[in-house]
């Protein structure tokens, strides 16, 4: 008889809690990972880090390797971006989440970070998933642009099968015929995933929204539907951002949004 996959609830009736520093993703406290889309300079990342630390955020995001639709768009600072992530991590004590696209970059990204992100465009990069199965650090796996829940869970299975149990799923919306949001985010998928798997489920409202105004409302829906955490793009000066300028929140907007999310969390018995 075929046994249940490793992601399955049947294999693991309790929730998996993924620890990153003091953050416990999957616990009663809704986790926050925030920071700029791209690492642009040490000043930019440090400014975001110091602000977010004051807000109680303990995991900073920032990408050095960017999967851009056009090869002419900013591709990220690469190795220099990793150096900056390492420097800001050391200076602020924050944990780092950063994206890797290429198997060859895994070892050096692991050195300067605490969590590796697999972006939507790499959800089915099986060589990368297998490689991340060999590390111990948590992996944030985003759903592919046109992935079904089964495909998403099977991508997670590649990492689990390698022996890395620290997988966090992150819903970031899918492509549909609707164009008023950048991607279509279905909050109904949170309870669906919760039923199928013991892995924590985060939501990235920023890429689903595409515009700042929608980040707060989508975050509220995500929390109300049971998300274990949010991944939010925050930039010291979003208008000047080298990627995703339209959807990144500035510091004032982030602080305001968190204060509006707290009562939503409280209504379902969770803290933020
Ligand atoms: C990102 O988090 O910056 C990113 C590129 O997201 P996604 O892979 O979901 O498009
Ligand atoms: Mn982005």
């Amino acid at each position: 008889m075929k046994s249940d996959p490793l992601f399955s609830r049947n294999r693991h009736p309790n929730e998996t809690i993924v620890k990153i520093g003091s953050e416990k993703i999957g616990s009663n406290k809704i986790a926050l990972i925030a920071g700029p889309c791209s690492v642009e300079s040490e000043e930019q990342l440090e400014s975001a880090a110091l602000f977010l630390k004051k807000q109680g955020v303990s995991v900073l995001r920032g990408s050095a390797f960017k999967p851009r639709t056009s090869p002419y768009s900013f591709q990220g600072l690469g190795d220099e971006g990793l150096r900056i992530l390492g420097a800001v991590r050391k200076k602020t004590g924050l944990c780092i989440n950063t994206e890797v696209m290429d198997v060859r970059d895994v070892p050096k990204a692991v050195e300067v970070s605490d969590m590796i992100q697999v972006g939507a465009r790499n959800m089915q990069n099986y060589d990368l998933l297998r490689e991340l199965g060999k590390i111990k650090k948590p992996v944030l796996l985003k759903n592919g642009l046109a992935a079904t829940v089964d495909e998403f869970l099977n991508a997670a299975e590649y990492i689990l099968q390698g022996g890395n149990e620290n997988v966090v799923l992150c819903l970031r919306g899918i492509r549909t015929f609707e164009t008023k949001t950048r991607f279509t985010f279905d909050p109904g998928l949170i309870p669906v995933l919760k039923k199928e798997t013991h892995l924590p489920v985060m939501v990235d409202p920023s890429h689903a929204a595409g515009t700042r105004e929608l980040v707060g409302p989508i975050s509220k829906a995500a929390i109300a539907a049971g998300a274990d955490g949010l991944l939010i793009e925050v930039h010291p000066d979003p208008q000047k951002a080298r990627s995703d300028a339209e959807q990144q929140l500035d510091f004032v907007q982030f602080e305001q949004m968190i204060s509006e999310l707290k009562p939503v969390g409280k209504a379902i018995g969770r803290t933020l």
Side-chain angles (χ1 to χ4, degrees):
M1 203 182 77
K2 210 166 145 269
S3 63
D4 288 315
L6 298 168
F7 65 72
S8 169
R9 249 304 153 205
N10 300 337
R11 294 284 288 251
H12 197 303
N14 297 326
E15 308 291 331
T16 286
I17 294 182
V18 174
K19 295 193 186 102
I20 304 159
S22 59
E23 196 70 271
K24 294 186 185 71
I25 307 177
S27 69
N28 201 44
K29 182 177 166 289
I30 294 161
L32 289 174
I33 302 177
C37 179
S38 301
V39 176
E40 297 169 3
S41 69
E42 196 160 331
E43 296 69 39
Q44 172 241 20
L45 192 68
E46 193 179 322
S47 156
L50 294 173
F51 163 74
L52 291 165
K53 193 176 172 177
K54 269 197 261 159
Q55 296 294 308
V57 173
S58 63
V59 187
L60 176 71
R61 67 151 282 152
S63 303
F65 304 108
K66 296 299 305 170
R68 302 307 300 280
T69 300
S70 163
Y72 303 111
S73 302
F74 175 57
Q75 302 287 305
L77 296 181
D79 289 348
E80 169 62 5
L82 291 183
R83 186 200 64 75
I84 293 171
L85 285 163
V88 171
R89 180 198 203 202
K90 199 166 165 201
K91 213 164 179 174
T92 62
L94 288 177
C95 292
I96 301 287
N97 169 58
T98 198
E99 175 160 359
V100 171
M101 300 193 288
D102 188 320
V103 174
R104 292 166 295 183
D105 294 323
V106 172
K108 50 192 183 185
V110 162
E111 239 176 81
V112 298
S113 68
D114 305 278
M115 179 181 227
I116 300 292
Q117 177 171 315
V118 177
R121 291 155 190 83
N122 277 300
M123 189 203 84
Q124 289 178 314
N125 179 342
Y126 298 117
D127 288 336
L128 180 61
L129 299 176
R130 269 197 213 94
E131 197 63 23
L132 295 173
K134 296 181 197 156
I135 66 169
K136 289 282 161 259
K137 288 202 172 157
V139 176
L140 183 92
L141 177 66
K142 294 203 178 186
N143 68 270
L145 304 186
T148 64
V149 163
D150 284 338
E151 288 162 345
F152 190 24
L153 289 170
N154 273 298
E157 187 74 6
Y158 271 87
I159 305 170
L160 298 170
Q161 193 207 33
N164 188 350
E165 295 171 353
N166 297 308
V167 180
V168 177
L169 301 172
C170 181
L171 289 169
R172 46 83 72 219
I174 53 167
R175 171 72 40 79
T176 68
F177 50 76
E178 182 55 69
T179 54
K180 295 288 184 191
T181 54
R182 187 176 176 192
F183 292 95
T184 298
F185 164 63
D186 177 0
L189 292 183
I190 300 166
V192 167
L193 285 170
K194 290 273 158 196
K195 192 172 166 206
E196 306 246 337
T197 181
H198 52 85
L199 298 172
V201 180
M202 290 190 60
V203 169
D204 167 0
S206 303
H207 291 86
T211 51
R212 319 184 223 290
E213 297 71 34
L214 295 176
V215 174
I218 294 175
S219 297
K220 285 180 187 161
I223 291 178
D228 294 307
L230 299 171
L231 177 80
I232 314 273
E233 286 192 337
V234 181
H235 191 288
D237 189 356
Q239 313 285 356
K240 295 213 178 95
R242 297 186 73 182
S243 58
D244 290 348
E246 299 302 309
Q247 72 196 30
Q248 302 204 57
L249 303 184
D250 66 23
F251 295 169
V252 174
Q253 289 158 345
F254 179 81
E255 193 169 354
Q256 171 71 24
M257 184 184 82
I258 297 301
S259 70
E260 288 176 22
L261 295 181
K262 283 184 178 167
V264 183
K266 202 170 163 207
I268 56 155
R270 297 182 89 169
T271 57
L272 221 107

